Amino acid sequence: MASIHFSRLTEPTTAIAAAFTRWENDQQIKYLARFNRDQADLDASNEITIASLAQRIQHTAIYLIYADQQLIGEMSYQIDPPLLLKHEANSAWIGITIGEHHARGQGIGNQALVYLEQQIAAQGLRRIELGVFEFNQPAFALYTKRGYHEIGRINDFTYWQERMWADIRMEKWL
């Protein structure tokens, strides 16, 4: 088993931007990680640049996920973003992407979630909220196992497989 470690992103590089771009456009996972209004959104390609990452880290804590020395994913949190369903002060909104195919289904998402929760708690935050598309049962099962519970749904939120799906909002108090 690979040695998993995490590193906060402070200086975006061309290689990191290229990995994020690859994951953003990966047909096997992009429907899981990004909101799509219709088939055109789902088919669209997006480029992640050093500049866009530099802008993102101004308001989002991003952590890189490594297996041995290979970058395999990323996770992040924002504090009190407007997209929260419950606007509780000092809440973190999180996201996790295991971008490399060979790293999925290995328990790395669980390790990443534990680490991210520790970082959030260290910032003095006590509440985490997230959204998971209703068709993403593996992620829903992971969050439930880690103590998250459903607090609401936003119906007709994202497009996939020729229909609209809900975004399930979940929370956990640390």
Side-chain angles (χ1 to χ4, degrees):
M1 180 113 193
S3 172
I4 306 302
H5 64 278
F6 311 102
S7 175
R8 183 146 182 188
L9 177 60
T10 58
E11 292 290 326
T13 66
T14 302
I16 293 169
F20 276 54
T21 298
R22 188 173 63 255
W23 303 333
E24 174 75 13
N25 296 296
D26 184 333
Q27 294 294 330
Q28 291 187 10
I29 61 170
K30 72 180 184 179
Y31 68 95
L32 296 169
R34 73 180 197 201
F35 153 79
N36 299 290
R37 292 177 300 243
D38 52 30
Q39 189 65 45
D41 277 359
L42 193 57
D43 293 340
S45 294
N46 298 315
E47 181 180 4
I48 309 301
T49 64
I50 292 173
S52 66
L53 284 173
Q55 172 132 15
R56 189 173 161 208
I57 62 176
Q58 297 304 310
H59 58 82
T60 304
I62 301 174
Y63 295 86
L64 304 174
I65 305 169
Y66 291 91
D68 295 325
Q69 300 305 312
Q70 182 190 12
L71 179 61
I72 60 163
E74 64 97 6
M75 59 187 161
S76 63
Y77 73 88
Q78 296 177 4
I79 301 171
D80 296 335
L83 54 86
L84 292 173
L85 186 65
K86 287 175 60 177
H87 293 277
E88 300 270 352
N90 300 313
S91 291
W93 173 267
I94 66 169
I96 299 173
T97 300
I98 306 299
E100 298 301 327
H101 299 262
H102 68 274
R104 296 186 202 127
Q106 307 294 315
I108 297 168
N110 185 60
Q111 291 178 57
L113 186 55
V114 169
Y115 181 85
L116 195 57
E117 289 173 352
Q118 292 168 347
Q119 300 310 301
I120 290 166
Q123 291 296 312
L125 304 172
R126 296 292 169 243
R127 181 179 175 272
I128 299 173
E129 184 175 321
L130 59 86
V132 60
F133 301 144
E134 68 178 308
F135 52 76
N136 191 349
Q137 290 303 311
F140 183 82
L142 169 64
Y143 296 130
T144 301
K145 178 178 146 192
R146 294 279 319 139
Y148 291 79
H149 67 275
E150 185 175 334
I151 57 170
R153 289 179 182 235
I154 302 173
N155 292 322
D156 299 324
F157 186 81
T158 194
Y159 180 86
W160 183 60
Q161 292 187 331
E162 301 181 3
R163 64 171 272 217
M164 298 301 290
W165 298 80
D167 190 36
I168 302 170
R169 295 300 176 92
M170 303 180 83
E171 77 176 350
K172 179 178 181 178
W173 289 88
L174 302 176

